[in-house]
Amino acid sequence: MATTSLPRTSNRSAVIAALLSGADMDRQRLIADTGLSRATVFRIVDDLMAESLALEGFRMLREGPGRQSTTVSFNHRSALVCGVDLGGTNCRVVVADALGRAVIRSRDTTPRDATADELAGWVAGKVTDLVSLHGDGVPLHTVTIGLPGVVTGDGRSVVASHNLGQIKGTGFIEKVSDLLGVETAVGNDSNLALRGELQYGSLPDRETAVLLAMGTGLGSAVSIDGQVLLGRTGLLGEFGRLPLPGREERLRDLLSGADLVAYARRQGVHVPTARALFADPEAYAPVLAEVHGALAHLVTVVALAYEPGTVVLTGGFSESFDTARLTAISDQVADTVGVRSVVRRSDLGDSAGLLGSMATSLGRLYESLGVSAGDAASVAVDRDLIVRRLAECPTAPTAPTTPTAGPGGPGTTHEDDKAPHTRHDEQMAEG
C-alpha cells in the first residue's frame, strides 16, 4: 500500500520524525526519506513553518532546470524539556532544547530533612530558576523526575523510598506537578537510567538487559526488546529487598553505600565511607568478600529471572568494582546456572538517569506534536552529540539547600557556590 494513502496525521508524523535528526535537509530528501508525495511534503513543511516548528535554511544549488531548493530543519527553540534525577544524596537537573541538546544543568545537595511539600517546592524552584534564567524565553513543555523509590506503573504514587521517606504516597508528586505548571512525569530512577542507556548508551536495542543502580541505595530495571518493563505496583525488580541466603540482611545492606557502612560498623569495622573499604582490600577482606558474594548472588537472580545479555552497573557505588571482578562474577554465574550475562559498568556513568529523564520528556513533547511511537523510535539520534552536549553545557552555581514552599521563594537564589564535586564523591561519601 502506498505511503501516500496514510492518514494526514501519519504523514505529518513521518515528516517531523525525519526532521528530528537535527540535520538540515531539503524537501527532495524528505520526499525520499518518507516516501510521501511531493505535494504532501511541501504542504506539511509549510504547515510546520506556520507553527514555528520548522525553519527555512540555506539555499541549495542544483544543476539543470527546475526550482532551486532551500533546506529545512526542525526548530530546536520551539520548546524546552527538563530531566530531573532526584537522589537521596543530591539532585541533578538538565534543561534541554527540543532536540535534546542540553542548555543548562545543575547539581545540588538534596535537602533530605525537608517535608514532602518543602522538597517539592525546592525541586520546582530549581527547574523554574534554570528555565527563567537560562531558557532565553523558550517555553518549558515537559518535566520528568526520577525518584529513588518504588513508583507505581501509572506514575501517580510512591509506594516506598528507602532514602527519601517523605516522598511516599501521592503528596510529593501532586505538589511538584502543581508547582511546575507543565506536564510532569514521574518514574523510578533505575527505570529512567535504563532508558538513558538504551537511548544514548551502547546497549543493543533488541537485547534483554538489566541495569543495577548502586549508589546511596540499590535499584534495578529490566528491558526486553528495547522496552523498559513497568510493573503495576512498581515492585518489579526490587531485588534489594531480598534477604541474603540464610541471613537477616538484605541485598541492599551490602550493595549500597549508606547501608554497607552501617552493616560494616555492626560487624565492628568502623570506616567513614564505603570507598574506604575498597581502598584497602587487604585490611577489609572479610567484608569485601561478603560484598562480592552478594553481587554474584544478585546477578544470579537476575540471570535466572530474565536471561539478560548484559547486566550494566551504574551509580557511584558500582565504580568500586573493577573489570576483572565483574568478569569473574559473570563467569561464576554462567558456571552456576548456565546463563551467560556480560556484567559491566555503565558507558554513561552517573549521567544515565538524567539522560533517561530528559529522553522521557522529549518523548512526551514529540507525542504532543503528533509523532507516533513507531516514527519516534526511528529518529536518527546523534547519541555522541547528546552525551557530549550534556557534559559540556554550563553548570548553574550551586544554590542553598534551604527548602521553599514554591518556586521563586526563599532558598531558590544561587548564592553559595560550593567546591566542584562529582555525584560519585557524594554517593560514596554518604556511604
Side-chain angles (χ1 to χ4, degrees):
M1 182 172 63
T3 307
T4 51
S5 67
L6 292 173
R8 288 176 68 115
T9 53
S10 297
N11 295 341
R12 175 186 167 95
S13 172
V15 172
I16 295 177
L19 292 173
L20 287 176
S21 67
D24 287 286
M25 56 182 69
D26 69 347
R27 291 165 178 79
Q28 297 303 319
R29 179 177 168 187
L30 282 172
I31 292 169
D33 286 355
T34 63
L36 299 173
S37 70
R38 184 177 186 275
T40 297
V41 168
F42 273 65
R43 174 182 55 77
I44 292 173
V45 169
D46 287 344
D47 290 344
L48 294 177
M49 287 184 175
E51 299 170 37
S52 298
L53 292 175
L55 301 172
E56 197 86 55
F58 57 87
R59 185 175 297 278
M60 299 185 67
L61 298 178
R62 293 186 181 277
E63 297 182 358
R67 176 180 172 181
Q68 295 298 306
S69 177
T70 56
T71 62
V72 178
S73 63
F74 188 80
N75 182 9
H76 64 281
R77 288 174 51 84
S78 57
L80 295 175
V81 297
C82 178
V84 180
D85 184 11
L86 177 62
T89 301
N90 73 350
C91 176
R92 304 200 323 152
V93 181
V94 62
V95 176
D97 65 21
L99 292 174
R101 298 178 296 198
V103 174
I104 187 70
R105 57 178 174 153
S106 68
R107 179 186 62 239
D108 297 277
T109 302
T110 302
R112 296 183 62 172
D113 294 332
T115 65
D117 282 358
E118 289 171 341
L119 184 60
W122 183 81
V123 171
K126 297 295 175 189
V127 174
T128 301
D129 280 358
L130 290 178
V131 172
S132 63
L133 295 174
H134 306 279
D136 201 23
V138 179
L140 177 65
H141 185 276
T142 302
V143 178
T144 299
I145 305 174
L147 298 179
V150 179
V151 182
T152 55
D154 59 11
R156 296 180 179 179
S157 178
V158 179
V159 177
S161 178
H162 186 52
N163 292 301
L164 284 178
Q166 66 269 51
I167 67 175
K168 182 179 178 181
T170 61
F172 170 82
I173 295 176
E174 292 172 352
K175 184 69 173 180
V176 74
S177 300
D178 180 62
L179 291 173
L180 287 168
V182 298
E183 181 179 5
T184 304
V186 175
N188 171 263
D189 54 1
S190 300
N191 290 335
L192 290 169
L194 182 52
R195 177 159 187 178
E197 292 286 346
L198 291 166
Q199 189 87 359
Y200 303 114
S202 61
L203 285 177
D205 292 339
R206 298 303 171 188
E207 177 188 89
T208 297
V210 170
L211 178 139
L212 301 178
M214 307 169 70
T216 306
L218 174 64
S220 64
V222 60
S223 65
I224 298 176
D225 289 334
Q227 298 296 315
V228 178
L229 299 185
L230 299 177
R232 178 181 56 83
T233 64
L235 290 169
L236 178 71
E238 285 293 313
F239 297 112
R241 295 171 168 237
L242 288 176
L244 290 161
R247 301 174 57 174
E248 294 182 356
E249 290 80 18
R250 302 186 182 198
L251 279 168
R252 68 187 182 202
D253 292 329
L254 291 171
L255 296 178
S256 64
D259 290 328
L260 174 58
V261 169
Y263 171 75
R265 289 171 179 169
R266 290 196 299 272
Q267 307 307 307
V269 179
H270 294 279
V271 290
T273 66
R275 180 186 293 178
L277 288 169
F278 290 89
D280 194 346
E282 292 186 4
Y284 304 113
V287 174
L288 291 178
E290 291 187 72
V291 172
H292 297 149
L295 180 56
H297 180 66
L298 176 55
V299 174
T300 301
V301 171
V302 300
L304 287 175
Y306 305 113
E307 296 187 30
T310 303
V311 176
V312 59
L313 275 55
T314 188
F317 188 80
S318 69
E319 296 296 325
S320 301
F321 301 99
D322 59 28
T323 301
R325 172 63 60 182
L326 297 182
T327 299
I329 288 175
S330 180
D331 292 340
Q332 177 184 341
V333 172
D335 291 341
T336 302
V337 298
V339 178
R340 168 63 65 178
S341 300
V342 175
V343 185
R344 64 172 177 81
R345 292 192 299 273
S346 164
D347 294 322
L348 302 178
D350 61 7
S351 296
L354 200 60
L355 287 166
S357 295
M358 184 191 75
T360 300
S361 289
L362 283 172
R364 292 192 172 230
L365 169 62
Y366 298 158
E367 182 181 6
S368 75
L369 299 177
V371 180
S372 69
D375 285 334
S378 70
V379 174
V381 177
D382 188 336
R383 300 184 178 193
D384 292 338
L385 173 63
I386 298 298
V387 174
R388 186 170 68 252
R389 285 290 292 268
L390 176 63
E392 295 175 352
C393 89
T395 302
T398 301
T401 57
T402 303
T404 175
T412 61
T413 55
H414 308 293
E415 297 173 354
D416 300 330
D417 287 3
K418 296 182 180 180
H421 55 286
T422 65
R423 183 171 193 185
H424 174 270
D425 293 335
E426 292 173 334
Q427 289 175 314
M428 296 302 281
E430 176 162 328

